Amino acid sequence: MKKFLTLALALTVSASAAPVTLTYWQYDFATKVSTMDALIKKFEAQNPDIKIKQETFPYDAYNQKVASSVPAGQGPDVVNLFYGWLPQYVDSGFLQPLPAKDFSTQQIESNFVPMIKTSKIGGQYYALPTSVRTLAVFYNKDLFKQARVVPPRTWEDFIAAGQKIVKGAPPRFSVLGFGIQPDGQDYHVVREVLVRQFGGSPFSKDGKKVTYDSAAGVQAMTFYTELMTKYKLGVPNFFPGNNSYRDAFIAGKVGMIVDGSFAVGAIEKGAKFNWGVLPLPVLKSNGVRGNFGSYWVNGITKNAKGDKLAASIKFLKFLTSDETQRTWLDSVGEIPASRKLSGTAALRTNPVYGPFVSGLPFASSTLFVDESGQRKAWVDAINTVLLQGNSPANAVKRAAAEEQKILDGYYK
């Protein structure tokens, strides 16, 4: 009997010592996945009682995969989401609010850069970023040298440089002056940057009304689409694949692209030429600076309960730690979300990261209620000008109507 009790006690101790396994989801972006693999090994070494299983999915299917799995009690315990998706996930009850005792609002807002306040829903934080992103111009130094042009500071100089670099003519370009791609980062440039630089505002202060169906909106749409229609700097989808503009740049076939800091890792790894980064240009007429700030956040789903919730809190603290943010910067290229880390002199003066950091004070972060639907409204409108000969004014009107319909559906 004593032997039996000893065995039972041993089995009980062994069972209680079994590690908690968390499932973590993010979309399939090579440098992010490999970096997370390394971070998970580090976290598990520090926390032998917790195991992390990372699962990834193609970007285009990711949002739907999360939305269909979590309500069924399946899928991740900790999930990586685009900040613009948060309203949908919070309203659907997919995410838990971050426990105040572990993540106080005061602590969050004093430690993180201001743009993360966009993800505060109903006075609560449901998720936090490891890093943030702004936009900048990547340029091919070798092509610039061959064309004898200098890096542009204004949009007007941007056009002039692109015209000297481009080779061929539509539809038979061999080298593009600018890697135009509406469904890349370009639609953010038009709505979030150019509209403001032309003196307008994309939305009302409460975010419920579209306000870019204006003179500024038409000027922004005209300026952008003329990069192709008038100045013939390039064409969309120059290369095959989802990241056509970036892949073409990496192949040395594009003089300039506008992309986020998240692209640094891929470009650094793939480009076999001299390249550099420049702040987004300004208009000669007013010199107004602007940028679009965005980020991905990690949140805890409703699936995490009991020991899994406690483990998820530990993992989220690890993912938002200064050490992890430094690793993410070095491996992926995204700017630390920490005020302290992103404000260092070394980062501000870094030739690659400096232009992205310099955009932080001028970066606007719109909170989307349906990011994919709102993106589609703009991309479709832009393409009516580029591919169907629509007027910029009509395209802006179309985008505004479609996006307002989405906002009305959410705020009704």
Side-chain angles (χ1 to χ4, degrees):
M1 182 68 177
K2 184 176 180 182
K3 185 177 181 181
F4 175 77
L5 290 173
T6 302
L7 178 60
L9 180 62
L11 289 171
T12 302
V13 171
S14 175
S16 65
V20 175
T21 299
L22 298 178
T23 300
Y24 175 75
W25 278 12
Q26 70 168 330
Y27 78 96
D28 189 5
F29 189 89
T31 53
K32 290 189 172 190
V33 175
S34 60
T35 302
M36 186 57 70
D37 283 338
L39 286 168
I40 286 171
K41 287 181 183 177
K42 192 174 192 178
F43 176 78
E44 290 178 339
Q46 296 171 1
N47 300 273
D49 57 334
I50 303 173
K51 296 296 179 186
I52 309 293
K53 180 184 178 185
Q54 178 180 202
E55 295 180 356
T56 63
F57 305 90
Y59 178 84
D60 290 343
Y62 184 66
N63 197 9
Q64 183 57 42
K65 183 72 175 175
V66 177
S68 62
S69 299
V70 175
Q74 301 170 348
D77 302 293
V78 180
V79 64
N80 189 236
L81 299 169
F82 185 63
Y83 84 100
W85 299 341
L86 281 176
Q88 293 170 292
Y89 282 84
V90 171
D91 285 354
S92 302
F94 295 175
L95 295 177
Q96 303 184 41
L98 299 182
K101 64 183 178 62
D102 298 293
F103 304 95
S104 74
T105 297
Q106 181 181 3
Q107 178 191 35
I108 290 170
E109 294 183 354
S110 62
N111 292 343
F112 287 81
V113 295
M115 79 165 74
I116 66 102
K117 291 180 182 179
T118 305
S119 58
K120 189 178 184 180
I121 312 290
Q124 290 182 294
Y125 284 96
Y126 287 78
L128 289 173
T130 297
S131 57
V132 294
R133 304 100 64 90
T134 58
L135 301 177
V137 175
F138 289 85
Y139 73 107
N140 184 319
K141 290 185 176 181
D142 293 345
L143 290 180
F144 267 65
K145 186 175 181 180
Q146 291 170 22
R148 297 182 180 179
V149 289
V150 297
R153 295 190 177 188
T154 67
W155 285 115
E156 290 83 357
D157 291 340
F158 179 95
I159 292 170
Q163 286 181 306
K164 290 183 178 178
I165 290 168
V166 69
K167 294 180 181 176
R172 298 185 179 279
F173 289 105
S174 58
V175 175
L176 303 186
F178 171 56
I180 190 168
Q181 194 70 32
D183 60 355
Q185 298 303 308
D186 289 5
Y187 76 100
H188 290 311
V189 174
V190 185
R191 182 180 58 191
E192 305 296 332
V193 180
L194 287 171
V195 167
R196 290 184 171 92
Q197 288 184 323
F198 279 109
S201 176
F203 302 99
S204 58
K205 286 185 178 180
D206 62 7
K208 295 181 179 180
K209 296 294 180 185
V210 167
T211 55
Y212 57 73
D213 187 7
S214 63
V218 174
Q219 285 177 292
M221 180 69 82
T222 301
F223 178 88
Y224 173 73
T225 54
E226 283 186 346
L227 296 177
M228 173 179 162
T229 61
K230 180 178 180 180
Y231 299 109
K232 305 190 187 311
L233 300 187
V235 288
N237 305 312
F238 180 59
F239 261 39
N242 290 336
N243 296 310
S244 169
Y245 67 109
R246 188 185 304 141
D247 292 342
F249 180 81
I250 289 172
K253 298 295 184 179
V254 178
M256 296 174 285
I257 59 171
V258 173
D259 213 342
S261 41
F262 50 83
V264 168
I267 291 172
E268 203 162 38
K269 184 178 179 181
K272 307 302 181 188
F273 53 86
N274 294 312
W275 56 275
V277 183
L278 303 167
L280 287 186
V282 298
L283 295 167
K284 277 183 181 176
S285 59
N286 58 30
V288 172
R289 297 188 65 181
N291 212 304
F292 172 65
S294 64
Y295 48 96
W296 283 70
V297 290
N298 290 300
I300 302 171
T301 74
K302 68 176 188 178
N303 294 344
K305 299 172 183 175
D307 290 344
K308 282 198 170 191
L309 176 56
S312 297
I313 291 169
K314 272 190 179 181
F315 188 46
L316 188 55
K317 286 185 174 181
F318 171 80
L319 292 178
T320 55
S321 67
D322 282 4
E323 188 175 359
T324 296
Q325 290 188 37
R326 290 191 190 98
T327 299
W328 205 256
L329 170 68
D330 293 339
S331 301
V332 180
E334 294 183 323
I335 303 165
S338 158
R339 285 178 187 262
K340 180 178 70 176
L341 295 183
S342 63
T344 62
L347 202 53
R348 290 198 312 271
T349 58
N350 184 284
V352 172
Y353 298 120
F356 295 106
V357 174
S358 71
L360 282 172
F362 314 100
S364 302
S365 298
T366 294
L367 185 59
F368 306 104
V369 301
D370 177 0
E371 190 274 335
S372 61
Q374 291 175 262
R375 167 165 35 97
K376 186 176 186 301
W378 262 91
V379 172
D380 287 350
I382 291 170
N383 281 332
T384 66
V385 181
L386 296 182
L387 307 177
Q388 298 171 22
N390 193 14
S391 72
N394 286 338
V396 168
K397 194 172 291 296
R398 169 185 169 145
E402 288 297 315
E403 195 160 12
Q404 189 62 60
K405 191 185 302 180
I406 294 171
L407 295 178
D408 290 344
Y410 180 80
Y411 289 112
K412 66 181 178 183

